DNA sequence: GAGGCGTGCGTGAGCGTTCACGGCGATCTG
DNA sequence: CAGATCGCCGTGAACGCTCACGCACGCCTC
């Protein structure tokens, strides 16, 4: 018995694929001449080139990318894994990663973990054999689940974990300090938080925020943190539930911008005005936040900068200029508060 | 002199790449045994497998994707070109395309045309040699500029063009009829349009809308159509300009949802209430439209359905079940009005 | 008119991997 | 105990393309 793969395999190789030899034969030239014609190389006459291109078109010839990549060198492919694309925060990160990757002549594989019911591990497992490096929002220490993947793996947010993952660590004490300060400055005394569930559990932002808010004397201790889905729908529901429990909340810190949209929607529906009755501050800095009503006050996480930085980090690791794991591969970022009208 | 390429080339092939033979030598086995270990195949003992995997890890061996693809068959790669990702409409399309492509075990190349200053033609030119099919928002008859690309090319919106491009044609007379009807039913008499500039010029939606609106007697002829950037910023500016010219507009049809966000922002800033003073209706059906204030009335273009349909169409063409160009490769779509509070 | 040069084209080799097949001991079977 | 079977492993070939050469021919130069 011959060795067989355990899992099923690709649809096998098609019979009818047309190769460079077919084109050469039809055009009455050699392989090399076809190559010259297809790749705009010198050393070929105009007539011959035209004849070859005509033959190629007639056969619907498409050069085999794998064969070409093999001899030319494989290039670099980056894998990006984010949570949903419909959330503009991740979409903006994706945009900047696309830009940065294109500038380096790399390829990109994009996937997302979200409403499609796929979990991060299975997405990354599928992606790993196809890419040279991975960037994304992934569970801590995921590289332990991927022993066969030896390329660089960079987390877009490792705040809160103490592991050895490479990635970006947000200075939450600084960032959330700004938020708390803002609530205090505008005289709020009953601030609560709507948290978004990340890998099934609460976020790291919640305990840090509540501690800072309590210290500053602005926290509504009766309400505290409400945990819900990372979506406007979830946020709306959380607000309804919260308003039932405690009608006198006067400030809300929301996990992210799209959730804040759901929050403001729900507050308005209940006849509350923002920010007079309830101030709303969120985190992300999406472009559309400037056009909500009222415009959203938020921590500007600078998604475009984050994407660029991540690609640059991958480049450094690949070039051997940065360590692959551990403290030396963790970069801290601190952000500014984008003050608009909502809080 | 030997033939040389005209343009510059990839960074050439690196010297230090580690191949399957290096692993085999270190583990003291043959190529084939390394293959068996790496691909979880049968016909290998547990000890040997472990030894091989250890050797592979030590050398940081990564199988060459090109070589593998060459013998296994190349698979299918789809290219998707959209205008911006930060606009949730396109992002939602991208999500559904990712899902559909993943379900078929295809690969995806995603690129966008937008604020990065790249035009559609150059993006597609870069992409064409790397993919087997292209889906996107592209200028009419773009395939004429790509003689070397012989794969299927499917436009996500060919409304208005009369060419031979394959793609989806929106039944704008139907869809915009719904919008006009809605304005008429709510007693509007001074409706104008904020149009988004697509490939440098006005959209196809503008003339059809104005004609229908005029016929229904709801059009504000003094204002008509204001053309601007496809962005909330552009839309805000357009509203300012329009309000100067004619203060008694009572209904606004906006090119798309994100522009409508800018429009509503600006109207609110001018002290106008929506929909009492001005009704706003847009087109797209993004998820976040339900959470603006007021929630947005819009034509539901069903971005997820569109993405799935496009991938299915590519599959049909590739399988030979659908024509590649011409009338038979054009599919019509008509949509429903999603009535919320803004109009 | 012998040598040099440039243009246009073809031939062998090799990229790294997997597939088909074959070999060789050890175990099982009648 | 001869023959069949099974587990484990290795060897040639091939995938389609590009690169480095080399060859033939026409033209120019001295």
């Amino acid at each position: 018995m011959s060795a067989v793969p355990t899992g099923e395999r690709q649809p096998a190789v098609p019979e009818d694929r047309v190769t460079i030899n077919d084109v050469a034969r039809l055009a009455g030239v050699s392989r090399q001449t076809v190559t010259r014609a297809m790749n705009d190389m010198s050393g070929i006459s105009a007539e011959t080139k035209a004849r070859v291109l005509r033959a190629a078109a007639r056969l619907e010839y498409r050069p085999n990318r794998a064969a070409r990549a093999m001899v030319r060198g494989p290039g670099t492919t980056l894998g990006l894994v984010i949570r949903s694309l419909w959330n503009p925060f991740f979409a903006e990160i994706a945009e900047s990663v696309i830009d940065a990757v294109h500038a380096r002549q790399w390829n990109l594989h994009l996937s997302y973990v979200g409403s499609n019911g796929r979990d991060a591990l299975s997405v990354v497992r599928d992606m790993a054999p196809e890419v040279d490096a991975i960037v994304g929002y992934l569970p801590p220490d995921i590289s332990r689940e991927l022993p066969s993947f030896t390329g660089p793996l960079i987390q877009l947010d490792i705040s809160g974990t103490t592991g050895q993952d490479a990635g970006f660590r947000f200075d939450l004490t600084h960032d959330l300090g700004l938020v708390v300060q803002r609530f205090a400055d505008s005289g709020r005394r009953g601030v609560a938080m709507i948290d978004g569930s990340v890998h099934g559990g609460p976020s790291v932002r919640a305990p840090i925020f509540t501690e800072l808010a309590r210290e500053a004397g602005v926290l509504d201790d009766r309400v505290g943190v409400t945990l819900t889905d990372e979506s406007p729908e979830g946020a709306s529901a959380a607000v309804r539930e919260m308003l039932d429990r405690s009608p006198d909340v006067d400030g809300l810190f929301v996990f992210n911008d799209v959730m804040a949209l759901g929050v403001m929607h729900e507050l308005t529906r209940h006849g509350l005005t923002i920010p007079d009755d309830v101030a709303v501050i969120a985190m992300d800095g999406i472009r559309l936040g400037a056009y909500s009503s009222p415009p959203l006050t938020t921590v500007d996480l600078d998604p475009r900068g984050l994407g660029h930085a991540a690609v640059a980090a991958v480049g450094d690791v690949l070039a051997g200029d940065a360590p692959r794991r551990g403290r030396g591969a963790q970069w801290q970022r601190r952000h500014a508060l984008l003050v608009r009208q909502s809080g």
Side-chain angles (χ1 to χ4, degrees), chain A:
Chain A
M1 189 189 84
S2 169
V4 292
T6 305
E8 72 274 62
R9 183 133 296 177
Q10 301 292 75
V13 13
E15 318 296 334
D16 57 343
R17 61 175 158 188
V18 26
T19 79
I20 198 171
N21 290 309
D22 301 323
V23 178
R25 207 174 313 123
L26 180 60
V29 295
S30 71
R31 289 184 322 241
Q32 180 61 11
T33 298
V34 176
T35 294
R36 280 188 266 254
M38 297 299 293
N39 297 0
D40 266 325
M41 295 196 282
S42 61
I44 183 174
S45 72
E47 311 95 273
T48 312
K49 183 168 176 178
R51 187 153 40 92
V52 169
L53 290 181
R54 245 195 331 269
R58 203 143 79 79
L59 296 176
E60 291 186 1
Y61 167 66
R62 315 211 59 222
N64 183 312
R65 288 188 300 280
R68 173 176 285 176
M70 191 149 132
V71 47
R72 293 233 264 240
T76 304
T77 299
L78 178 73
L80 175 64
V81 181
I82 53 186
R83 300 199 299 268
S84 91
L85 256 178
W86 67 266
N87 180 338
F89 178 67
F90 298 114
E92 288 178 31
I93 290 176
E95 271 200 3
S96 69
V97 168
I98 290 176
D99 287 344
V101 154
H102 181 263
R104 284 157 205 261
Q105 310 244 61
W106 294 355
N107 290 316
L108 178 69
H109 275 215
L110 174 63
S111 199
Y112 75 102
V113 177
S115 45
N116 52 0
R118 309 186 58 209
D119 65 331
L121 187 55
S122 80
V123 167
V124 176
R125 275 231 174 85
D126 284 0
M127 175 180 275
E130 303 295 325
V131 302
D132 303 301
I134 294 177
V135 167
Y137 281 88
L138 300 167
D141 279 325
I142 194 168
S143 49
R144 271 213 289 261
E145 314 282 340
L146 296 168
S148 62
F149 185 76
T150 55
L153 195 155
I154 293 192
Q155 302 262 23
L156 288 171
D157 187 350
I158 51 168
S159 311
T161 70
T162 55
Q164 295 294 298
D165 288 349
F168 297 92
R169 183 181 293 280
F170 297 166
D171 186 348
L172 289 174
T173 307
H174 169 269
D175 295 354
L176 299 182
L178 260 34
V179 174
V180 168
Q181 186 65 44
R182 174 77 190 164
F183 280 128
D185 288 351
S186 57
R188 311 289 163 169
R189 292 277 140 195
V191 174
M193 174 172 178
I194 309 280
D195 193 20
S197 163
V198 176
H199 295 117
S203 75
V204 233
R205 300 174 190 177
I208 297 176
F209 178 78
T210 50
E211 189 185 329
L212 291 172
R214 186 176 294 120
E215 279 174 10
V218 301
L219 188 69
D220 182 333
D221 255 313
R222 297 217 323 280
V223 187
V225 179
T226 308
L227 181 64
T228 182
D229 279 355
E230 189 188 357
S231 73
E233 290 80 9
S236 283
V239 169
R240 276 196 297 277
E241 182 198 330
M242 196 201 65
L243 251 27
D244 281 346
R245 292 221 311 276
S246 159
D248 41 54
V249 166
D250 66 358
L252 278 174
F253 172 58
V254 188
F255 178 70
N256 69 15
D257 285 2
V258 290
M259 290 179 71
L261 261 31
V263 165
M264 295 199 294
H265 171 85
E266 195 65 25
L267 290 174
T268 308
R269 244 172 47 84
H270 283 263
L272 296 165
T273 68
I274 306 164
D276 297 345
D277 294 326
V278 182
V280 175
I281 301 183
M283 210 160 179
D284 270 1
I286 65 174
R287 236 180 112 170
L288 292 177
Y291 294 94
S292 62
S293 35
L296 188 62
T297 295
T298 190
V299 178
D300 183 9
L301 258 31
D302 185 19
R304 297 197 61 86
L306 185 58
H308 271 103
V311 175
V314 168
D316 288 348
V317 175
L318 249 24
D321 294 343
R324 193 160 290 229
R325 291 169 61 72
R327 279 289 173 193
Q330 300 183 345
W331 302 274
Q332 200 167 66
R333 291 170 68 87
R334 50 171 57 185
H335 307 99
L337 188 66
L338 212 51
V339 178
R340 291 193 280 238
Q341 279 92 64
S342 74

